[in-house]
Amino acid sequence: MIKRDLILPPEILYPIEEWRWVESALSSQFLAQAETIFTVSNGYLGLRGAFEEGSPAYRHGTFVNGFHETWPISYAEGAFGFATTGQTITNLPDPKIIRLYVDDEPFNVSTARILRYERALDMRAGTLDRQVLWETADGRQLLVESRRLVSFFEKHVAVISYRVTVLNAGAALVLSSDIVEHPLPEKNEYNDPRLAQGIADQVLSQQMAEGKGQRVILGYRTKRSGMALACGIDHILETDCVSSSEAKWGEQGAQVVFLIDAEPNKPIALTKYITYHSSPSDETAELCVRAGRTLDRVVHHGFERLLADQRVYLDDFWKQSDIQISAQPPRLQQCLRWNLFQLIQAAGRADDTGIAAKGLTSQTYDGHYFWDMEMYVLPFLIYTSPQLARNILRYRYSILDKARERARAVNQKGALFPWRTINGEEASAYYAAGTAQYHINAAIAHGIINYVDITGDKDFLYEWGAEILVETARLWFDLGFFSERQDGHFCIHRVTGPDEYTTVVNNNAYTNFMARENLRFAADTVDKIQESSEKHYHALVLRTELKPGEVSDWRRAAKQMYIPFDTRLQIHPQDDQFLDLEPWDFQNTPLDKYPLLLNFHPLVIYRHQVIKQADIVLAMFLLGHEFTLEQKKRNFDYYDELTTGDSSLSACIQSIVAFEIGYDERALNYLINALLMDLADVGGNVKDGCHIASMGGTWMGVVYGVAGLRDYGGRLTFYPNKKVQFLQFHLTVRGQILAVEIKEGRVTYRLEQGERLTIYHRDEQLDLQPGELVHRS
């Protein structure tokens, strides 16, 4: 366990407010990370939090979920089955630029004389707001106000309200509203696998450009992946001052320039409407037509309607998802809500795509989808926004055929889901810490299991989920074997578990535990479908070519699954060889050598007992009913001391298990570490995007950790921590709304919506009736 100081930005710059993240003065020290923190997104379209004026800026970014370019993966020494094509989310033409000139002098917030400044992400309104009072060199004062919104209601729409008021003198004022193609990002020169690949060549080829009045629409296509894009802008200028405008466009973007004779105390209000449409197959011209229709609609409806719709959407989100806590320091409530808000910004309109590790805040990790979706984000969505959870699992089903192809590429039956992907193809160029992580299959299966148990959505299981379960179970049975050396137990060799500091091993315990669950549930599901619906069973057999005897094979493999256990230490070894390795010398490893992956050759790391992220500990959380409490304590004690925390996925899981085994102080420290992962810049890389999985883990840390929820088999049991001062949250369970409140060790359960819900408080069964308050201590 590596201890790191958690230092939040100072309150004098970032004051505490429960519902807003506020910046009260511009600081170059926090400029880069603020661009990430102030990103606005709806899960489809994301705008990084750089200023409208274009500078100062660390890195501008405009992203559409799933819109990517491909590139050939180059190997010095290739091999059969290696991934061949990389995918990188594309940084698109930037629509948010509105440059302000006074007497032809540009406004730059970093060099201007600023009398008043505030920028705030409003988490209830869903807007990024800024107010600046600027005094020019000749004493004129201008109030510059902006509000930026990416709509949850209108998936393809963003809008910026930019308002300028000259307070004490007239001025010749220019507003230049642009779509800008920023310079390409530099190549990844630091050998940091977390950063984007960086594509040296121009990605987008402009196919068409058209304009009329104050509207411009541009059409593009990527050069290799062939994806089509249309982006458009339109404007409404409201002022009593004399004004004129001119639009122009070309291969480098578009520009609509407004010339205004500004008069004192006469506001100049420019509303900029923005739309993006994308497709892997449609023609660019068709997307441009759609963009035009979208602009027609939203300009007609106006900005106020977009604001009102945004508030309605978020009111509903917070009603289902908010967590209220009493905590010290008081900033933690603000930080918790910021984490939850980032989750809806990443997932809200990710209708038919996945959720990238960084959401839509950067190109880091190339915009890829990992197991993060199922393991860390899906639980939050299942209990708060089940339709969004369903969308994620539907995306996995949409790439099932490519997962089947990937299994053939590595000489396996069934389906192997890609470790990192956008379009369904494996994009991991390092198989040891990529393709070898077969546990991605079990993560998806576990997500299906949990989703169906908590939502009761049998339609999803019968129509799509069962097919995934069959193909993932097939892979496990084909991958493993019954070993004579292990007394006929089913062994799985040469895989990598969640801990990427230990790769390509035999019998990774986490993988074997999760594969066993996958095999069991797949077999149970096939049997239940056969018993309950002849139609669905025959359809499943037709789609999967299910053979007689396969289900019994899966049951036999699950029953005889080899689970490593060391009788001397009375712990579960992480894998067959882990305990034979030399322990890492933590005492003589300075803090500046973390993360280890950036400072030591992989072979050095692989030779030692050192853990990047929770592995056995994660298995004890997900499948806690498979372990005794004493086993959990012994395993936790052993592995906690070996875990570096180099992964943002670790602290939340360590927190949950630490709460369960009674290590409250350590658990709280881990939970705070997860909560502040970005806002305290724990990893020093928040400038390169949010850690979406850690945010999902924060929700889990509170609900599964502090409140002690366990939901094995769909049975909800709470083991709340008795030291909690105040905690309140809601869960959606099979269409019913459960409110949970913990106050000074006393718990109140209330069924706010629904007819009847059975839960368990510790070992006591509670049958909740609508509106009834049930108190327990």
Side-chain angles (χ1 to χ4, degrees), residues 142-207:
L142 293 90
L143 181 63
V144 183
E145 302 166 285
S146 66
R147 171 167 280 188
R148 186 185 306 176
L149 173 153
V150 178
S151 174
F152 287 105
F153 187 80
E154 289 276 2
K155 173 179 177 178
H156 299 277
V157 171
V159 62
I160 299 172
S161 169
Y162 196 91
R163 182 184 175 97
V164 182
T165 307
V166 182
L167 299 180
N168 58 353
L173 190 147
V174 176
L175 292 175
S176 178
S177 175
D178 303 349
I179 300 177
V180 177
E181 295 187 27
H182 293 293
L184 292 168
E186 297 179 359
K187 296 282 284 183
N188 181 0
E189 302 291 348
Y190 302 101
N191 295 317
D192 186 341
R194 301 169 299 180
L195 299 180
Q197 165 70 17
I199 300 174
D201 300 326
Q202 191 69 30
V203 170
L204 294 173
S205 173
Q206 190 178 107
Q207 304 290 298

Side-chain angles (χ1 to χ4, degrees), residues 672-683:
I672 292 174
N673 187 287
L675 178 63
L676 302 183
M677 184 64 62
D678 288 326
L679 294 174
D681 202 7
V682 174

Side-chain angles (χ1 to χ4, degrees), residues 99-105 134 140 142-144 162-166 170-176 237 241-244 257-263 266 268:
R99 306 186 198 277
L100 167 63
Y101 301 84
V102 174
D103 293 340
D104 292 322
E105 292 293 325
W134 167 34
R140 279 177 289 191
L142 293 90
L143 181 63
V144 183
Y162 196 91
R163 182 184 175 97
V164 182
T165 307
V166 182
L173 190 147
V174 176
L175 292 175
S176 178
L237 182 69
C241 302
V242 175
S243 66
S244 62
V257 177
F258 298 87
L259 307 177
I260 304 119
D261 294 332
E263 298 179 39
K266 289 187 177 181
I268 299 155

Side-chain angles (χ1 to χ4, degrees), residues 28 45 53 69 101 108 159 192 216 228 271 318 362 406 413 429 461 510 588 609 728:
S28 59
L45 172 63
E53 295 80 19
E69 180 63 305
Y101 301 84
N108 184 317
V159 62
D192 186 341
V216 178
T271 304
W318 288 116
S362 80
R406 183 59 184 160
K413 298 176 182 177
L461 182 64
Y510 171 88
N588 292 306
Q609 289 188 48
Q728 187 179 77

Side-chain angles (χ1 to χ4, degrees), residues 119-367:
R119 180 165 57 153
L121 183 66
D122 189 321
M123 295 175 282
R124 284 188 295 189
T127 58
L128 176 61
D129 305 323
R130 191 192 65 176
Q131 186 179 90
V132 179
L133 182 57
W134 167 34
E135 185 174 76
T136 64
D138 62 0
R140 279 177 289 191
Q141 294 183 0
L142 293 90
L143 181 63
V144 183
E145 302 166 285
S146 66
R147 171 167 280 188
R148 186 185 306 176
L149 173 153
V150 178
S151 174
F152 287 105
F153 187 80
E154 289 276 2
K155 173 179 177 178
H156 299 277
V157 171
V159 62
I160 299 172
S161 169
Y162 196 91
R163 182 184 175 97
V164 182
T165 307
V166 182
L167 299 180
N168 58 353
L173 190 147
V174 176
L175 292 175
S176 178
S177 175
D178 303 349
I179 300 177
V180 177
E181 295 187 27
H182 293 293
L184 292 168
E186 297 179 359
K187 296 282 284 183
N188 181 0
E189 302 291 348
Y190 302 101
N191 295 317
D192 186 341
R194 301 169 299 180
L195 299 180
Q197 165 70 17
I199 300 174
D201 300 326
Q202 191 69 30
V203 170
L204 294 173
S205 173
Q206 190 178 107
Q207 304 290 298
M208 59 183 299
E210 58 187 20
K212 182 178 180 181
Q214 297 169 356
R215 175 183 297 187
V216 178
I217 297 176
L218 306 176
Y220 297 90
R221 190 171 291 277
T222 55
K223 293 185 177 180
R224 288 184 58 90
S225 67
M227 298 193 76
L229 176 80
C231 58
I233 56 175
D234 204 346
H235 305 81
I236 296 294
L237 182 69
E238 297 176 283
T239 182
D240 291 332
C241 302
V242 175
S243 66
S244 62
S245 66
E246 179 184 10
K248 55 185 178 180
W249 52 89
E251 293 185 0
Q252 301 305 311
Q255 185 179 64
V256 180
V257 177
F258 298 87
L259 307 177
I260 304 119
D261 294 332
E263 298 179 39
N265 297 308
K266 289 187 177 181
I268 299 155
L270 178 66
T271 304
K272 181 175 186 177
Y273 296 92
I274 300 162
T275 188
Y276 279 78
H277 287 257
S278 61
S279 172
S281 57
D282 291 334
E283 292 297 324
T284 304
E286 163 65 15
L287 294 184
C288 288
V289 170
R290 293 186 208 169
R293 289 199 297 260
T294 299
L295 290 173
D296 286 342
R297 181 175 64 254
V298 296
V299 170
H300 173 71
H301 289 162
F303 185 38
E304 292 303 318
R305 178 160 169 175
L306 285 170
L307 285 171
D309 289 341
Q310 189 87 331
R311 186 59 182 255
V312 169
Y313 184 100
L314 287 171
D315 282 348
D316 183 64
F317 167 74
W318 288 116
K319 181 180 178 181
Q320 306 302 326
S321 308
D322 189 26
I323 295 177
Q324 296 180 53
I325 58 173
S326 174
Q328 293 296 328
R331 184 184 284 278
L332 294 184
Q333 177 70 77
Q334 180 191 32
C335 294
L336 179 55
R337 286 195 172 121
W338 183 85
N339 276 257
L340 298 177
F341 185 65
Q342 297 310 312
L343 288 171
I344 194 61
Q345 287 209 129
R349 297 309 304 268
D351 297 343
D352 50 9
T353 61
I355 297 173
K358 298 291 185 179
L360 295 176
T361 62
S362 80
Q363 288 179 290
T364 303
Y365 287 121
D366 291 296

Side-chain angles (χ1 to χ4, degrees), residues 108-126:
N108 184 317
V109 72
S110 65
T111 57
R113 173 174 164 75
I114 302 300
L115 305 181
R116 184 169 73 245
Y117 174 97
E118 181 184 272
R119 180 165 57 153
L121 183 66
D122 189 321
M123 295 175 282
R124 284 188 295 189

Side-chain angles (χ1 to χ4, degrees), residues 25 38 64 77 140 183 185 272 353 369-370 375 407 465 469 488 496 521 541 547 569 581 618 635 663 675 681 734 775:
F38 287 117
V64 164
E77 298 181 28
R140 279 177 289 191
K272 181 175 186 177
T353 61
Y369 318 134
F370 294 77
M375 285 289 95
L469 293 170
T496 299
F521 197 76
V541 171
K547 300 295 191 297
L569 295 177
L581 302 176
L618 178 59
N635 284 334
Y663 295 171
L675 178 63
D681 202 7
R734 292 180 283 281
H775 305 287

